[in-house]
Amino acid sequence: MNEKVNITINGVPLRVDENKTILDAAEELNIKIPTLCYHKDLCVAGNCRVCVVEQVGTNKLPAACATPVHDGMEIMTNSLKVRNARKHIIELLLAEHNAECTKCYKNGNCELQELAAEYKIINQEFMNLVADHGCTIDDFSPSIMKDDSRCIRCQRCVRTCAELQGVNALTVAYKGSEMKISTFFEKPISDVVCTNCGQCVNHCPTGALIEKNYIEEVWEAISDPEKHVVVQTAPAVRVGLGEELGFEVGERVTGKMVAALKRLGFDAVLDTDFTADLTILEEGTELLHRLKEALVDKNPDVKLPMATSCSPGWIKYIEHMYPEYLPNLSSCKSPQQMFGALVKTYYAKERKIKPENIISVSIMPCTAKKFEANRPEMHDSGYRDVDYVLTTRELAIMIKQAGIEFMKLPDEHYDRLMGESTGAGVIFGATGGVMEAALRTAYEIVTGREVPFENLNITAVRGEDGLREAKIKIENPVKEWAFLDGVELKCAVAHGLINAREVMELVKSGKSDYHFIEVMACPGGCLGGGGQPIPTDPEIRKRRMEAIYAEDMGMPIRKSHENPEVKQIYQSFLGQPYSEKSHELLHTKYLPRERY
Amino acid sequence: MSVTTYQLKRVDLIFKNENDWKQILSKTLKRKKEDIINSLISSELKGRGGAGFPTGMKWKLTSEAKEETKYVICNADEGEPGTFKDREILTQVPHKVLTAMAICAYVTGASEGYIYLRGEYKFLQKSLYNAIGEFERYCEEIGFHFRIAIFMGSGAYICGEETALMESMEGRRGEPRNKPPFPTDSGYLGKPTVVNNVETLVHTYTIFKYGAKKFRDLGVQYSRGTKLFSISGDTPIPGIYELELGMTLSDFVEEFGDGDTKAVQVGGASGFLVPRKRFAETQIGFQGKLTGVSLPTGGSMMLFNSSRSMFNVLNNYLDFFEEESCGQCTPCRVGCQQLLKGIHAVKRGDKPAVYLNKLLKLSENMQYTAKCGLGQSVGNSFASIVENFREEMIF
Ligand SMILES: Cc1cc2nc3c(=O)[nH]c(=O)nc-3n(C[C@H](O)[C@H](O)[C@H](O)COP(=O)(O)O)c2cc1C
Ligand code: SF4
Ligand code: SF4
Ligand code: SF4
Ligand code: SF4
Ligand code: FES
C-alpha cells in the first residue's frame, strides 16, 4: 500500500511514504518546523499558517502540517521567503493578541511566546487590533477561564471538544475580523454543556483557556496558624508532576512529591489512593447488590449496567447528554469527595481537630474536580468537603515559587490514617484502572479466590483503544453469592467522552449486555487529565500509563480490600461497605441538565 | 495607437434558447464517456467560476476516481460583488444547466446532483424546482437515473469556495478545507465530486451541441470560447454581455466606457485594477503573452471615471474582505484588518507613506500563505490599486 516517494528537504534527499505530510517528513530528518494549530491529538486544521515552507518551483508557500509530500518535491524550510512570511504571520498574530506576557498565567509555557522569542519579533510595525475586538473574559466557571484577548483562533480547543470529547461546547462564532471561539448563544462556559474536563485547556497553546487557579488561596490557608491544612494527591499526579519539574516523561515522583508538599507547609500529606481503595469496596459492593437485585429479585428499579462515577467530567456529561441514564450511575462519590467528607469527620475525630479548622486541599490531574468540589451536594461533612482543588500544574507552580529544588528532594512517605494505598488505588489513574481494581476485589469477595490472571494484571481492560470490553466468568462462588455461579460478568471501558458517547449509544440501542462500565472523561483516563502538564499527547500518555502500571507492580499490597487503613476505617468508623454511615458520607445523587 | 490584435465581438450562445435540451441530452448520453471527455478537453474550456481549471480534466479526474458514489455540484453561490450573470442563466436557460449536470453525472458515474444556490436567490427556488421536476421526468423516460436537489446557501461569500461550500452542505461552518485532497478525489461527504460554476456548465452544453471545434474557434490561445461579463460602474450601458475572450481592455473601454474611464477593475474585488495607461496592453483572458493580463474570475468588469476616488474603491474592497474572510487563517483574517486599518492610518497621516510598502509586502505574503483563494487574492486589488494610485492613498 504505502508507496515511497523521493523528496528533498533543505537539499537533503529523503525517501518517505507518500501519505506523509511535509511536517512528518521533516521530523524524520530532525528538522523542526514551527507549528501552532497542529496537535498530535487532533485532526489537521492548517489554519495558523505558521508552518509554511517553500516548495521550490511553485509560487505558494504550503502549510507543512497539511500538505502531503509527492514525488520530486523540493522543500525549503528556512529560506528567506519562508522566514519573511513566517515572521509576518507571527507578527500578525501578535497584533491581534493581548501580548502582555508578564500579566499572563501561561507566561513561560506558551507556544506563541516561544515562537515570538525564537523569531525575535521586536519591531512590531503592524497596528494593534486588540482594542478593536472588545474581548471578554469569562471567569464564571469554578474550573476554566477563557480570555478572548489571548486567543489566536487556532481552534485546537474546538477540535478537542469535538473530536476527543464529542461535547462541542466550544465552537467558532462569526466570521472575518469578528471570528472568535464561543459557546451556545455566547453563554458563559459555566452555563453550557461543558463538562469542565479541561481538555481544551490542556490543548490551548496560549493563555486563552486556563484553569481557574487557587494558588494564592492555598498559600493563605497554609500561612494561617489557626488552620490545619490537609492535602490529598490523586493517583495520576505522581506520574505527571515530574514533567513540570525537570524529570523525563514517565518518571514516577511519588516520594519527592510528598516531600515537597511537606516543605510547602501542609500539615498532613495524605493520599487520594486511600479513598480510591475505599471506592472499590463501596462500588464493588454496590455492583454485587445491584446484580442480586436485578438478576435474582428482578427489581425493575435497579438499573444495569452500572457505570462508574469517579470522573466528574463524565458525571456532568451524562447529566447533560443522557439524563435518563442517571440511575445507572454508581452512587459512589469520586475518591476526592469521599476523602473530603472523611477528612472533616473521621480524620478530624481521630486527630482531635475541630472540622471548622481544617482546610482540605486536593491535588488533581483534573479541572472538573474544581467544579465537583463546588457542587452543593458536596457538603456532607457539614462543611464544604474539599476547599480547594489544585491541578498538577498549579502544584508545580507552588513548588517553584517556594524555591524547592524538586529533583534533589529525598523520597518521603504519606502521613498515617488516610495515607496508605494499594496498587489497585494507583491504577485509578489510568483508563481501565477502576474496572481492574474493582474486579480484583469483587471477584475475590464472590469466589474467595484471587482473579485468575497472572500477577493480578487484567490486561484485557488495559490499553489505549477508546472502547474495550472484557468478560470474566464466575465459577464456584461462596455461598452468599451462589446465584452468580456461571454468570459471565460483562464489562466495558471507555475513555475520552467521544467514546463515552459510543458506549452509551450501545447501551441505549439495547445491543449491549454489559453489567459494568467504566468511563473516564479524559483520553487515557486521569493520566491524560485536563490538569496534567502541557503538552499531553498520545506518546506522553503512553509513557505515563507505563509509569502507573509500574507503580502498581511495585506496591506490596495490590488489592483494595487488603489496604490496612481501609480495614481500620470500616472497623472504627464506617461499619461495613454500603452501610448507612457510608451512604451518608460517601454516596451522592445527580441531577439532569440541559443539552446545550 | 494601441496594439490591438483583436476586435471585440459580441456573441449569443449562452442565452440562445432553442429548447433542444431533450435532444442534446439523449444524443450525448449515447456517446462514449471518453469521447465526451476528449471533446471537452480539446475545446480547452476552462472553469468560469474563478480558478480557471480545465473542465474536461476535472471531469476526467472524477470519472477515474475509484468510488461507487460520486456527486455533481453546480456552484450558484455567485457572491462576487458586481456579478449577476449566473442568476440570469438560471432564470433564462435552467434546462441547459441541468442537462450539463446530467451529462457530467453520466461521464463521472454520479447519480446525484446539487445546485448550491445563493441565499439571496431564494426567489429562483420555485421556478428551478419546476424545471428540475420536468427534467427528472424526462430522465426517467429515457431511462437515465439522476436526481437533482437544491441546497440553499445562507449569505456567506466564502461558501462559494468549493470546499467551504461542501462543508456548509455537510452541516458545518463554511470554512475552506486543506487542498489536497481536491474535490475530484474527496469532495462532498468525502466522495469524488465535480464542482462547476453555472456558466461553465452552460458552455459544456454549447460544446455538446456544436462540437468542440466551434467553441475552440472562439477566443484566443489559452482563453477559448466566450464569457459572460457583468458590466457596471461608470458606463452608459451596464448589464450582462457575452463576449469572446481575448479582447484588449482598450477595445472594451471603447465600447463600454463613458469617455472618461480612468481605470477598470477586472474580475471583481478579487481581481485587478487596470489603469488607463495599461488598457492597450491588457488582454482579457486567462493567460497570455501581453503584459498585465487579467483573469476574468467571475466576469465582473467595473469601470471608474475620473470622478472616483481610488482610495474609496480600495476601502470598499477591503471592507468586504475583512468581513467576508471566514476568519480561520492568520494571513487572511489579520492581514485584511491590517490592510484596511493601514490605508486609513496612512491617509490620516498616522503612518508614513512608506508604511504602504510594508502593507504591499504583507499583501504579497498573504498571496503565498493564505489557505484559500480568498486570502490569496486580496493582494490582487490591493497591490494593483496602491501601486497605480499611490498618491490617492496618501493625499
Ligand atoms: C472566496 C471564493 C469565492 C468563490 N465563489 C464562487 C462562486 O460564487 N461561484 C463559483 O462558481 N465559484 C466560486 N469560487 C470558485 C470555486 O471555488 C470553484 O473553483 C468553482 O466553483 C469551480 O468551478 P469551475 O471550474 O466551473 O470554475 C470561489 C472561490 C473563492 C476562493
Ligand atoms: S482558546 Fe486557545 S486553543 Fe482555542 S482557539 Fe484560542 S488559542 Fe486556540
Ligand atoms: S472543558 Fe471539556 S467539555 Fe468543556 S469546553 Fe473544554 S473540552 Fe469541552
Ligand atoms: S478522567 Fe480524571 S482528569 Fe479527566 S475529568 Fe475525569 S477525573 Fe478528571
Ligand atoms: S484565506 Fe481567508 S477565507 Fe480562506 S481560509 Fe483563510 S481566512 Fe478563510
Ligand atoms: S501548524 Fe500548520 S497551519 Fe498551523
Side-chain angles (χ1 to χ4, degrees), chain A residues 45 49 88 127 132 174 176, chain B residues 173 325 338 341 365 369 371:
Chain A
R49 313 307 280 182
H88 260 173
M127 303 179 73
D132 302 0
Y174 306 111
Chain B
R173 192 182 145 80
S325 150
Q338 290 295 346
K341 215 173 151 109
N365 274 330
T369 60
K371 183 168 171 174

Side-chain angles (χ1 to χ4, degrees), chain A residues 230-246:
Chain A
V230 172
V231 65
Q232 54 166 320
T233 65
V237 177
R238 64 206 71 193
V239 298
L241 182 65
E243 290 165 36
E244 294 272 348
L245 297 163

Side-chain angles (χ1 to χ4, degrees), chain B residues 47-49 58 75 77-79 160-162 195-197 200 373-374:
Chain B
R48 302 308 200 228
K58 190 181 272 187
N75 188 343
D77 195 45
E78 196 164 54
E161 196 282 336
E162 55 191 8
V195 183
N196 272 137
N197 171 254
T200 312
L374 189 150

Side-chain angles (χ1 to χ4, degrees), chain A residues 144 157 160-162 165 167-170 189 193-201 209 367 497:
Chain A
I144 291 170
C157 54
T160 300
C161 198
Q165 302 301 66
V167 173
N168 297 301
L170 296 173
I189 291 181
V193 68
C194 167
T195 66
N196 302 303
C197 71
Q199 285 302 314
C200 53
V201 171
L209 279 164
T367 52
L497 290 172

Side-chain angles (χ1 to χ4, degrees), chain B residues 158 176 324-329 332-333 370-376:
Chain B
I158 192 58
E324 291 300 335
S325 150
C326 81
Q328 70 162 315
C329 81
C332 174
R333 179 188 67 249
K371 183 168 171 174
C372 87
L374 189 150
Q376 288 163 8

